[in-house]
Amino acid sequence: MRLNFEFPEERIKELRGLQAALGNVEMKTLVNNALSVFEWCMEETKAGNEIAAVNMSDQTYRVLVTPLLQSLKKHKAPLPQPVNV
C-alpha cells in the first residue's frame, strides 16, 4: 500500500536530518521504526506506565509528554483481567 503525506518544509528538513544522522536510512525504515517506538509508548501508557529519559548520574528523569499519549491517559480503559482456566 502506498500512502502520501504533506508536511511543511521544516518538517521535511527534520526528517532528512534524521535520515542523515542514522546513516542515510530509507524513509520507509525511519517511519517503520518511529511507528514501532510509538506503538510501544502507547502500550506502556495504556498499562499505566510513564515513558521517560533517565539520567543515572544525576538521578533525574524527564517524562515524555505528547498530546496523543496524554489523551490515552484520560481515556484509559481498564486492563483485561486474567482468566483462570
Side-chain angles (χ1 to χ4, degrees):
M1 174 186 280
R2 183 174 201 69
L3 299 174
N4 292 311
F5 298 96
E6 288 188 31
F7 291 105
E9 189 60 38
E10 188 59 34
R11 181 58 79 183
I12 298 297
K13 288 178 186 175
E14 291 170 354
L15 287 168
R16 298 283 184 225
L18 289 171
Q19 279 183 293
L22 295 166
N24 291 316
V25 298
E26 290 183 4
M27 187 63 72
K28 176 182 173 180
T29 301
L30 177 63
V31 171
N32 278 329
N33 277 266
L35 288 172
S36 294
V37 170
F38 196 74
E39 286 171 344
W40 177 76
C41 289
M42 286 178 52
E43 291 305 314
E44 292 299 318
T45 299
K46 287 193 290 188
N49 297 324
E50 298 282 359
I51 309 302
V54 178
N55 184 320
M56 297 300 284
S57 62
D58 291 347
Q59 294 187 340
T60 60
Y61 66 93
R62 290 178 40 209
V63 174
L64 174 65
V65 178
T66 71
L68 289 175
L69 292 177
Q70 289 299 103
S71 71
L72 280 177
K73 283 183 175 182
K74 291 177 185 171
H75 301 100
K76 185 175 114 175
L79 293 174
Q81 296 299 313
V83 176
N84 293 326
V85 182

